[in-house]
Amino acid sequence: MNQENNKITLMLMVGIAAMLMLFISLLLIFIFMQRKKLQYRLNLQALQSAQKNKLIEAAVRSEEIERHRIAEELHDEVGAILGASSLHFYGINIDDCDDISKEMYQKGKSLLDEGIHKIRGISHNLHSSILQELGLKEAISHFCGKISHNSIVKIDLNLTDKHSTKVSQKSISIYRTIQELIHNITKHAKANQIHIQSQHVNNNLVFTILHNGNGLTQAQFEELRFIKDGLGLKNIQNRMILLKADLLFSHHANHYSIEIKIPVE
Amino acid sequence: MLKIFQFIMDWSEVWALLIPISVLLIKKQPASLKLVVFYIWAALIINLGIDLIWKFRSMLPAAYNSNNFLYNLHSVIRFYLFCAFFIQLNQAFLVTIKKIIPICFTVFIIINFTFYENFFDYWKLSSRLLSTEAIFLLFYVIQYYLFKIKENVTTKITNSNFWIITGLGIFVALNFFIFLSYNELTAHFQNFAISLWNLHNISYVIFNLFIAKGFYESGKQ
């Protein structure tokens, strides 16, 4: 009888244990499958992100190559032709011409000089040789020097000397971003005072641009990014993604601020 | 020491419910967990009644000193509330079966307690009712996992529903055979039945811990 009782209790305990084990097995299978799905999704997201970054990198690189090509052709071909035209123009003797012809000659000479000057400017804007030869700090200083004019817009600089003079795709992207931002500040924000500073903070190169114009807040920047006409801002965003940098627009009491935090080695 | 342990276990059906209640007092729960919240409060009242009747049975009139019908009531309430909880998850899997089960359960209750058993039986709780409730709830739990495994959408594994359903699954899986054999055990192996009921109480504590975790997670989401 005792044996019978023990058998019954044993069977009951085995039944309970078996039921519990079956349930726990199902639970473990569930958790395992869910983790696998999550891992797959994360891998897919990483692949998509890498693909997107590669596309952005390719777009930016091809943009730079095209800029370089156009700059070279403008300088070497158009610039050379205009230069030669100017030489021929300067070689013309107008002493025997009438007043109208002399006036037209002066006008033509002035237009030709202006054209040569503009071509040179466009070529330099498209491809800065200063960036190649002297590095990021000098390139930014030179660019700001060209834009700056005491009566229209005053630009102050306080750039760290720790910029590497070795030109890399990073430097070019930073330079283009600063260029685009300054263009936007002068053209759209209509600022007349701009202050640019850079410093190294915890393995990051931080650029801060302060201006007294009518700038953007972060929310406005996020909105404008998606508007068709905001190509400049989209380019900036693409370069930020490429640099793995953070861009922050903010509004303070009497000025607007743009902070770019770029991780550097 | 053993007496203290037994005393704690005797009242575990009440204090176990205080664990999720303490989370409820701190964190407001979303509408999707309303049914579970309602179950906790209903279970607290019923279990309090169960334990108070048992402890003060000598003071109560003979007709009112049995708490077995409250176990039956608890089982019925637990089934319907969790059944509704699973249906309102709106999982597109075995939808018709999930809706038919409560109807079948209702029919089972009517037939069982009309012809075979007494809902207010003085001497015993209904093993048949509790085990049927357990197996149906186990079905709901298993279909939840199967649906989640099949589903293409990847969400956070350990959300509030997961914790609550896992707790319920552990509770019913562990207790199915206890419920199934309880009446026979109390008749022939009373001491063993009492020990086994401690196992039920421990699993009930674990169940409530999982519910509390579920409430805590929903507050985070």
Side-chain angles (χ1 to χ4, degrees):
Chain A
M1 183 68 172
N2 222 12
Q3 223 176 3
E4 190 75 21
N5 295 347
N6 287 340
K7 212 173 162 186
I8 291 168
T9 53
L10 182 69
M11 272 174 61
L12 187 61
M13 296 312 290
V14 166
I16 293 169
M19 199 71 154
L20 197 59
M21 291 314 298
L22 273 168
F23 178 76
I24 288 169
S25 308
L26 181 66
L27 187 62
L28 288 171
I29 290 169
F30 166 76
I31 291 171
F32 176 72
M33 294 296 292
Q34 291 295 99
R35 280 194 197 280
K36 265 192 88 172
K37 273 198 274 181
L38 194 69
Q39 193 56 45
Y40 173 76
R41 198 183 103 189
L42 288 172
N43 288 344
L44 196 65
Q45 271 176 352
L47 271 171
Q48 282 171 342
S49 179
Q51 176 76 352
K52 188 177 138 194
N53 284 348
K54 274 201 169 76
L55 284 171
I56 291 172
E57 201 182 318
V60 166
R61 192 164 286 140
S62 59
E63 185 192 317
E64 286 304 319
I65 291 169
E66 200 55 24
R67 276 173 177 253
H68 182 64
R69 188 186 68 81
I70 293 171
E72 262 188 355
E73 287 197 13
L74 275 176
H75 185 270
D76 296 346
E77 310 236 346
V78 180
I81 291 169
L82 288 177
S85 307
S86 179
L87 271 174
H88 283 84
F89 224 85
Y90 274 95
I92 296 172
N93 187 357
I94 57 161
D95 291 336
D96 299 327
C97 296
D98 56 19
D99 289 339
I100 292 170
S101 300
K102 281 182 186 171
E103 208 183 306
M104 282 174 69
Y105 171 81
Q106 292 299 335
K107 184 78 181 169
K109 204 168 77 167
S110 140
L111 284 171
L112 194 55
D113 287 339
E114 196 186 330
I116 291 168
H117 182 73
K118 279 210 183 313
I119 289 289
R120 199 172 285 147
I122 290 169
S123 173
H124 284 148
N125 262 347
L126 285 173
H127 184 74
S128 172
S129 55
I130 294 174
L131 180 66
Q132 303 288 328
E133 287 153 28
L134 299 173
L136 185 61
K137 183 184 171 185
E138 290 306 320
I140 295 174
S141 303
H142 182 257
F143 170 72
C144 291
K146 271 198 330 183
I147 300 273
S148 184
H149 190 291
N150 275 336
S151 61
I152 299 168
V153 59
K154 188 164 169 282
I155 304 180
D156 299 315
L157 297 173
N158 181 10
L159 302 175
T160 173
D161 284 325
K162 283 187 186 167
H163 291 301
S164 163
T165 50
K166 188 176 146 196
V167 174
S168 60
Q169 195 57 42
K170 227 173 197 175
S171 305
I172 297 170
S173 287
I174 296 169
Y175 177 70
R176 293 284 173 230
T177 303
I178 302 279
Q179 237 187 350
E180 186 66 42
L181 286 169
I182 299 297
H183 271 137
N184 286 346
I185 289 168
T186 49
K187 190 173 153 193
H188 300 291
K190 308 251 191 296
N192 56 22
Q193 270 184 356
I194 302 172
H195 176 76
I196 307 173
Q197 71 182 41
S198 69
Q199 52 186 341
H200 267 267
V201 178
N202 297 335
N203 292 331
N204 288 309
L205 178 59
V206 182
F207 280 89
T208 310
I209 305 173
L210 308 169
H211 65 93
N212 65 349
N214 186 16
L216 294 176
T217 58
Q218 189 65 21
Q220 286 169 328
F221 168 67
E222 300 287 343
E223 204 185 308
L224 283 170
R225 259 197 308 148
F226 295 105
I227 292 172
K228 218 168 44 169
D229 295 336
L231 197 59
L233 292 178
K234 281 201 187 71
N235 277 338
I236 290 171
Q237 187 62 25
N238 282 343
R239 290 187 192 276
M240 291 297 103
I241 293 169
L242 209 58
L243 291 167
K244 295 182 179 47
D246 295 316
L247 180 64
L248 183 67
F249 289 80
S250 54
H251 178 220
H252 303 276
N254 55 358
H255 65 271
Y256 282 82
S257 155
I258 306 169
E259 189 185 271
I260 311 166
K261 201 193 285 186
I262 305 144
V264 291
E265 284 144 32
Chain B
M1 191 71 191
L2 208 63
K3 269 192 168 177
I4 297 170
F5 175 76
Q6 193 55 53
F7 178 78
I8 294 169
M9 289 317 299
D10 284 345
W11 284 94
S12 60
E13 284 164 317
V14 174
W15 62 254
L17 287 157
L18 297 177
I19 303 168
I21 283 171
S22 63
V23 179
L24 281 180
L25 297 173
I26 305 165
K27 288 180 187 280
K28 197 174 181 322
Q29 297 304 309
S32 58
L33 296 182
K34 217 168 38 178
L35 290 160
V36 183
V37 173
F38 189 71
Y39 163 73
I40 295 295
W41 288 111
L44 181 68
I45 296 166
I46 293 169
N47 285 354
L48 205 55
I50 287 171
D51 284 347
L52 286 172
I53 289 173
W54 178 249
K55 289 298 172 194
F56 298 109
R57 62 190 180 280
S58 51
M59 295 181 203
L60 294 166
Y64 301 106
N65 66 3
S66 168
N67 59 9
N68 290 314
F69 77 97
L70 287 174
Y71 281 106
N72 297 340
L73 182 67
H74 187 167
S75 172
V76 169
I77 287 174
R78 182 166 53 220
F79 174 80
Y80 282 119
L81 286 173
F82 276 101
C83 178
F85 170 72
F86 279 107
I87 290 170
Q88 66 113 67
L89 287 178
N90 275 328
Q91 291 181 328
F93 184 63
L94 303 176
V95 174
T96 314
I97 296 177
K98 281 193 287 196
K99 288 183 177 162
I100 287 172
I101 286 174
I103 300 168
C104 295
F105 188 75
T106 310
V107 169
F108 157 78
I109 289 174
I110 294 167
I111 294 173
N112 184 54
F113 291 109
T114 308
F115 301 108
Y116 298 100
E117 289 186 318
N118 181 6
F119 192 87
F120 298 97
D121 193 319
Y122 185 90
W123 297 107
K124 59 183 185 348
L125 50 81
S126 171
S127 272
R128 208 175 285 164
L129 171 67
L130 267 62
S131 53
T132 308
E133 175 232 339
I135 204 71
F136 279 148
L137 287 179
L138 190 61
F139 165 79
Y140 278 114
V141 168
I142 290 170
Q143 68 78 37
Y144 169 82
Y145 290 135
L146 288 176
F147 174 76
K148 283 289 184 187
I149 288 169
K150 275 179 66 172
E151 199 184 34
N152 246 343
V153 176
T154 321
T155 51
K156 190 184 167 203
I157 303 167
T158 53
N159 57 16
S160 54
N161 289 342
F162 168 80
W163 290 113
I164 291 167
I165 290 165
T166 301
L168 179 68
I170 292 171
F171 177 74
V172 292
L174 211 140
N175 285 286
F176 171 69
F177 279 109
I178 295 175
F179 292 151
L180 192 65
S181 57
Y182 197 69
N183 285 159
E184 291 301 315
L185 288 174
T186 47
H188 300 106
F189 308 99
Q190 201 169 45
N191 290 335
F192 181 61
I194 293 167
S195 307
L196 211 56
W197 201 252
N198 284 333
L199 188 61
H200 160 269
N201 290 343
I202 290 168
S203 67
Y204 196 67
V205 172
I206 295 170
F207 177 32
N208 280 283
L209 282 169
F210 274 83
I211 292 180
K213 177 69 178 166
F215 286 161
Y216 185 74
E217 286 292 319
S218 79
K220 267 196 219 169
Q221 282 162 14

mmCIF file of all heavy atoms in Angstrom, chain A residues 5-23:
data_model
loop_
_atom_site.group_PDB
_atom_site.id
_atom_site.type_symbol
_atom_site.label_atom_id
_atom_site.label_comp_id
_atom_site.label_asym_id
_atom_site.label_seq_id
_atom_site.Cartn_x
_atom_site.Cartn_y
_atom_site.Cartn_z
ATOM 1 N N ASN A 5 1.275 4.124 -2.733
ATOM 2 C CA ASN A 5 1.186 5.570 -2.447
ATOM 3 C C ASN A 5 2.390 6.299 -2.990
ATOM 4 O O ASN A 5 2.267 7.375 -3.593
ATOM 5 C CB ASN A 5 1.083 5.820 -0.931
ATOM 6 C CG ASN A 5 -0.192 5.254 -0.358
ATOM 7 O OD1 ASN A 5 -1.104 4.887 -1.103
ATOM 8 N ND2 ASN A 5 -0.271 5.159 0.953
ATOM 9 N N ASN A 6 3.564 5.706 -2.731
ATOM 10 C CA ASN A 6 4.802 6.338 -3.208
ATOM 11 C C ASN A 6 4.806 6.456 -4.722
ATOM 12 O O ASN A 6 5.247 7.456 -5.290
ATOM 13 C CB ASN A 6 6.032 5.541 -2.745
ATOM 14 C CG ASN A 6 6.292 5.717 -1.261
ATOM 15 O OD1 ASN A 6 5.823 6.685 -0.653
ATOM 16 N ND2 ASN A 6 7.007 4.787 -0.664
ATOM 17 N N LYS A 7 4.288 5.377 -5.382
ATOM 18 C CA LYS A 7 4.246 5.381 -6.846
ATOM 19 C C LYS A 7 3.365 6.538 -7.342
ATOM 20 O O LYS A 7 3.727 7.253 -8.281
ATOM 21 C CB LYS A 7 3.665 4.042 -7.326
ATOM 22 C CG LYS A 7 4.211 3.556 -8.661
ATOM 23 C CD LYS A 7 3.710 2.148 -8.971
ATOM 24 C CE LYS A 7 3.865 1.847 -10.440
ATOM 25 N NZ LYS A 7 3.257 0.559 -10.796
ATOM 26 N N ILE A 8 2.222 6.697 -6.678
ATOM 27 C CA ILE A 8 1.289 7.754 -7.089
ATOM 28 C C ILE A 8 1.919 9.126 -6.900
ATOM 29 O O ILE A 8 1.850 9.983 -7.783
ATOM 30 C CB ILE A 8 -0.048 7.639 -6.313
ATOM 31 C CG1 ILE A 8 -0.800 6.378 -6.762
ATOM 32 C CG2 ILE A 8 -0.924 8.880 -6.544
ATOM 33 C CD1 ILE A 8 -1.963 6.002 -5.875
ATOM 34 N N THR A 9 2.530 9.321 -5.734
ATOM 35 C CA THR A 9 3.138 10.644 -5.479
ATOM 36 C C THR A 9 4.295 10.892 -6.434
ATOM 37 O O THR A 9 4.481 12.017 -6.916
ATOM 38 C CB THR A 9 3.628 10.763 -4.019
ATOM 39 O OG1 THR A 9 4.482 9.653 -3.738
ATOM 40 C CG2 THR A 9 2.490 10.777 -3.042
ATOM 41 N N LEU A 10 5.056 9.837 -6.732
ATOM 42 C CA LEU A 10 6.170 9.985 -7.674
ATOM 43 C C LEU A 10 5.662 10.371 -9.062
ATOM 44 O O LEU A 10 6.180 11.289 -9.697
ATOM 45 C CB LEU A 10 6.972 8.680 -7.741
ATOM 46 C CG LEU A 10 8.215 8.715 -8.661
ATOM 47 C CD1 LEU A 10 9.284 9.627 -8.059
ATOM 48 C CD2 LEU A 10 8.781 7.320 -8.861
ATOM 49 N N MET A 11 4.603 9.689 -9.485
ATOM 50 C CA MET A 11 4.033 9.976 -10.805
ATOM 51 C C MET A 11 3.536 11.412 -10.866
ATOM 52 O O MET A 11 3.703 12.112 -11.858
ATOM 53 C CB MET A 11 2.880 9.016 -11.097
ATOM 54 C CG MET A 11 3.336 7.725 -11.753
ATOM 55 S SD MET A 11 2.021 6.533 -11.931
ATOM 56 C CE MET A 11 0.868 7.362 -12.958
ATOM 57 N N LEU A 12 2.944 11.838 -9.782
ATOM 58 C CA LEU A 12 2.414 13.215 -9.730
ATOM 59 C C LEU A 12 3.550 14.229 -9.835
ATOM 60 O O LEU A 12 3.472 15.202 -10.601
ATOM 61 C CB LEU A 12 1.650 13.404 -8.417
ATOM 62 C CG LEU A 12 0.889 14.710 -8.251
ATOM 63 C CD1 LEU A 12 -0.166 14.843 -9.335
ATOM 64 C CD2 LEU A 12 0.231 14.790 -6.878
ATOM 65 N N MET A 13 4.616 13.994 -9.059
ATOM 66 C CA MET A 13 5.763 14.900 -9.098
ATOM 67 C C MET A 13 6.408 14.909 -10.475
ATOM 68 O O MET A 13 6.796 15.966 -10.983
ATOM 69 C CB MET A 13 6.800 14.526 -8.027
ATOM 70 C CG MET A 13 6.313 14.659 -6.592
ATOM 71 S SD MET A 13 5.493 16.215 -6.220
ATOM 72 C CE MET A 13 6.843 17.364 -6.272
ATOM 73 N N VAL A 14 6.503 13.709 -11.084
ATOM 74 C CA VAL A 14 7.081 13.621 -12.431
ATOM 75 C C VAL A 14 6.207 14.405 -13.413
ATOM 76 O O VAL A 14 6.710 15.142 -14.269
ATOM 77 C CB VAL A 14 7.245 12.139 -12.862
ATOM 78 C CG1 VAL A 14 7.510 12.040 -14.355
ATOM 79 C CG2 VAL A 14 8.372 11.480 -12.086
ATOM 80 N N GLY A 15 4.898 14.250 -13.265
ATOM 81 C CA GLY A 15 3.959 14.966 -14.130
ATOM 82 C C GLY A 15 4.120 16.474 -14.021
ATOM 83 O O GLY A 15 4.190 17.186 -15.023
ATOM 84 N N ILE A 16 4.222 16.947 -12.788
ATOM 85 C CA ILE A 16 4.389 18.382 -12.556
ATOM 86 C C ILE A 16 5.706 18.854 -13.159
ATOM 87 O O ILE A 16 5.761 19.875 -13.858
ATOM 88 C CB ILE A 16 4.335 18.710 -11.049
ATOM 89 C CG1 ILE A 16 2.930 18.448 -10.504
ATOM 90 C CG2 ILE A 16 4.751 20.147 -10.779
ATOM 91 C CD1 ILE A 16 2.832 18.478 -9.001
ATOM 92 N N ALA A 17 6.781 18.090 -12.878
ATOM 93 C CA ALA A 17 8.102 18.461 -13.391
ATOM 94 C C ALA A 17 8.124 18.474 -14.918
ATOM 95 O O ALA A 17 8.663 19.400 -15.544
ATOM 96 C CB ALA A 17 9.161 17.514 -12.856
ATOM 97 N N ALA A 18 7.500 17.454 -15.505
ATOM 98 C CA ALA A 18 7.474 17.354 -16.980
ATOM 99 C C ALA A 18 6.736 18.546 -17.580
ATOM 100 O O ALA A 18 7.196 19.166 -18.551
ATOM 101 C CB ALA A 18 6.815 16.045 -17.405
ATOM 102 N N MET A 19 5.598 18.882 -16.985
ATOM 103 C CA MET A 19 4.799 20.017 -17.463
ATOM 104 C C MET A 19 5.619 21.306 -17.396
ATOM 105 O O MET A 19 5.639 22.097 -18.340
ATOM 106 C CB MET A 19 3.554 20.130 -16.569
ATOM 107 C CG MET A 19 2.453 20.916 -17.172
ATOM 108 S SD MET A 19 1.671 20.056 -18.522
ATOM 109 C CE MET A 19 0.079 20.790 -18.462
ATOM 110 N N LEU A 20 6.305 21.465 -16.260
ATOM 111 C CA LEU A 20 7.096 22.680 -16.062
ATOM 112 C C LEU A 20 8.255 22.738 -17.058
ATOM 113 O O LEU A 20 8.537 23.793 -17.651
ATOM 114 C CB LEU A 20 7.612 22.708 -14.623
ATOM 115 C CG LEU A 20 8.104 24.057 -14.093
ATOM 116 C CD1 LEU A 20 6.982 25.087 -14.155
ATOM 117 C CD2 LEU A 20 8.604 23.908 -12.662
ATOM 118 N N MET A 21 8.911 21.581 -17.260
ATOM 119 C CA MET A 21 10.044 21.524 -18.195
ATOM 120 C C MET A 21 9.591 21.838 -19.612
ATOM 121 O O MET A 21 10.270 22.556 -20.353
ATOM 122 C CB MET A 21 10.721 20.144 -18.158
ATOM 123 C CG MET A 21 11.472 19.822 -16.883
ATOM 124 S SD MET A 21 12.546 21.130 -16.277
ATOM 125 C CE MET A 21 13.687 21.281 -17.612
ATOM 126 N N LEU A 22 8.448 21.292 -19.992
ATOM 127 C CA LEU A 22 7.918 21.563 -21.340
ATOM 128 C C LEU A 22 7.668 23.053 -21.519
ATOM 129 O O LEU A 22 8.015 23.641 -22.550
ATOM 130 C CB LEU A 22 6.596 20.811 -21.535
ATOM 131 C CG LEU A 22 6.728 19.383 -22.035
ATOM 132 C CD1 LEU A 22 5.408 18.648 -21.915
ATOM 133 C CD2 LEU A 22 7.200 19.346 -23.474
ATOM 134 N N PHE A 23 7.090 23.654 -20.506
ATOM 135 C CA PHE A 23 6.783 25.085 -20.598
ATOM 136 C C PHE A 23 8.061 25.908 -20.688
ATOM 137 O O PHE A 23 8.169 26.839 -21.499
ATOM 138 C CB PHE A 23 5.943 25.526 -19.392
ATOM 139 C CG PHE A 23 5.649 26.997 -19.411
ATOM 140 C CD1 PHE A 23 4.692 27.519 -20.256
ATOM 141 C CD2 PHE A 23 6.364 27.878 -18.612
ATOM 142 C CE1 PHE A 23 4.434 28.879 -20.306
ATOM 143 C CE2 PHE A 23 6.107 29.239 -18.651
ATOM 144 C CZ PHE A 23 5.144 29.738 -19.500
#
